[in-house]
Amino acid sequence: MIKINKNLADIPTSLKPPTVDYFPPPDSPIRQSKTTHQRRQELIDTGAYTDATRYSSRYKCKDIKDALKNIYNKKCAFCEVSSDDLHVEHFHPKKSYYWLTYSWDNLLLACPSCNVNKGSRFDILGIKYNFVFDPVNTYRSIHASCQSLDRTEQPLLVNPEVEDLTSELIFDQNGGVTSCHPRVSHTINQCKLSSDDLKYRRKKLIDNFIIDVEAAFLENLNDPIQQKAKIEAFVEQFVRLMNSSGESFLAFRKFALANGWLQSIIKNLN
């Protein structure tokens, strides 16, 4: 779970309400934006989300998914797994926050597991927000309204687009993750970020490094200079991948490096 930077002014066209605020002349709204806006208004008029394809298909339009894949580097917002099977997820659940179903600042990407684990649970510490539709102002801020809402509600779940709490993650070399920060801990538990599968995948990164270092020692027993060069190359590769936005588990890699795991492994194998 790392901080994600999303430009809230760069809204996918299909999400834009067909008003002059979003389509100033001589621009004109496209059919997709009109259809999405119609569905948005229907949900607001109903006062609840309707679980039907006519509504769910609107936040899955190609321009939305493409934009999110680019922003998230095809990785899950919560567990950082890189995958081609990612779902458009709502930070504020659409069942409770129906008016935000097509809001750009409420849409992120999640893998199937985190999508299911997160579900519709949305615990808050503050006061529940009472939405009142304002025909003049609601749509002017519909794509950048979550932060003001969250100041009132104070959600327990961490929004990776808003907060950088990477430093609050505590990993172990078996791939597990915990935190002393109550909201980060809540997010880990709710999304099951320390599941056996995720622990295995993270641990594999360290296991592979150990295998490479062991091979460097064994293959160059009589050549310490070559040993050192190969091991340094493996460390550089680990760092390079840590700085590659498309790689999975960047938070884990950064923690490993910052806490001297690689140096300890090298020392213990020497």
Side-chain angles (χ1 to χ4, degrees):
M1 185 171 59
I2 60 174
K3 176 70 169 63
I4 299 297
N5 296 315
K6 178 195 278 183
N7 183 357
L8 296 184
D10 189 13
I11 306 164
T13 305
S14 64
L15 286 175
K16 295 179 180 180
T19 66
V20 294
D21 294 312
Y22 297 95
F23 294 94
D27 296 340
S28 58
I30 63 171
R31 181 179 58 82
Q32 282 192 331
S33 67
K34 292 178 180 179
T35 303
T36 298
H37 187 64
Q38 181 179 345
R39 301 292 176 264
R40 182 190 286 119
Q41 190 62 58
E42 289 171 3
L43 295 179
I44 289 175
D45 291 342
T46 303
Y49 180 76
T50 301
D51 191 11
T53 302
R54 64 189 272 111
Y55 297 105
S56 63
S57 64
R58 302 316 307 165
Y59 58 78
K60 299 175 185 177
C61 289
K62 186 178 185 303
D63 64 332
I64 301 170
K65 296 189 77 171
D66 287 348
L68 288 172
K69 285 179 181 178
N70 183 57
I71 292 166
Y72 280 88
N73 294 289
K74 293 185 176 181
K75 295 191 299 183
C76 175
F78 298 104
C79 72
E80 281 195 86
V81 164
S82 178
S83 173
D84 289 326
D85 183 21
L86 294 170
H87 299 176
V88 178
E89 173 62 67
H90 296 79
F91 178 72
H92 298 82
K94 57 186 180 294
K95 289 185 178 179
S96 305
Y97 300 81
Y98 56 91
W99 68 95
L100 298 176
T101 299
Y102 309 113
S103 296
W104 182 225
D105 63 342
N106 193 40
L107 300 179
L108 43 76
L109 280 185
C111 70
S113 294
C114 287
N115 187 27
V116 170
N117 293 332
K118 175 181 173 296
S120 297
R121 177 182 173 184
F122 198 74
D123 298 329
I124 61 174
L125 295 171
I127 302 170
K128 180 68 176 175
Y129 179 79
N130 181 34
F131 172 69
V132 178
F133 177 61
D134 180 344
V136 175
N137 295 313
T138 291
Y139 294 133
R140 288 179 177 172
S141 61
I142 195 68
H143 293 296
S145 57
C146 290
Q147 287 193 45
S148 60
L149 183 155
D150 289 345
R151 282 193 290 271
T152 298
E153 293 198 336
Q154 302 176 45
L156 276 173
L157 194 72
V158 174
N159 186 342
E161 291 185 1
V162 176
E163 300 174 273
D164 186 0
L165 295 175
T166 308
S167 62
E168 300 292 343
L169 296 168
I170 303 171
F171 294 97
D172 60 58
Q173 290 192 36
N174 289 319
V177 60
T178 58
S179 180
C180 296
H181 189 291
R183 291 181 53 242
V184 176
S185 180
H186 173 85
T187 304
I188 291 170
N189 292 332
Q190 182 168 340
C191 295
K192 294 181 172 52
L193 301 183
S194 203
S195 67
D196 288 343
D197 177 62
L198 289 174
K199 286 194 289 188
Y200 172 82
R201 294 193 191 196
R202 296 189 194 105
K203 183 176 181 293
K204 192 72 174 175
L205 300 179
I206 298 300
D207 289 345
N208 288 341
F209 181 78
I210 292 173
I211 291 170
D212 289 338
V213 172
E214 285 178 333
F217 278 124
L218 292 173
E219 292 169 5
N220 302 276
L221 287 174
N222 300 317
D223 191 345
I225 295 177
Q226 184 67 6
Q227 272 187 354
K228 183 179 179 181
K230 286 194 172 183
I231 290 170
E232 286 179 350
F234 291 132
V235 173
E236 289 173 1
Q237 180 185 44
F238 195 96
V239 173
R240 185 173 66 254
L241 293 176
M242 180 192 73
N243 292 318
S244 176
S245 58
E247 288 293 318
S248 299
F249 310 127
L250 296 187
F252 178 75
R253 288 182 179 275
K254 290 177 181 178
F255 187 92
L257 194 67
N259 287 272
W261 290 4
L262 304 191
Q263 289 74 15
S264 295
I265 290 169
I266 294 168
K267 182 179 179 180
N268 292 335
L269 292 175
N270 194 346

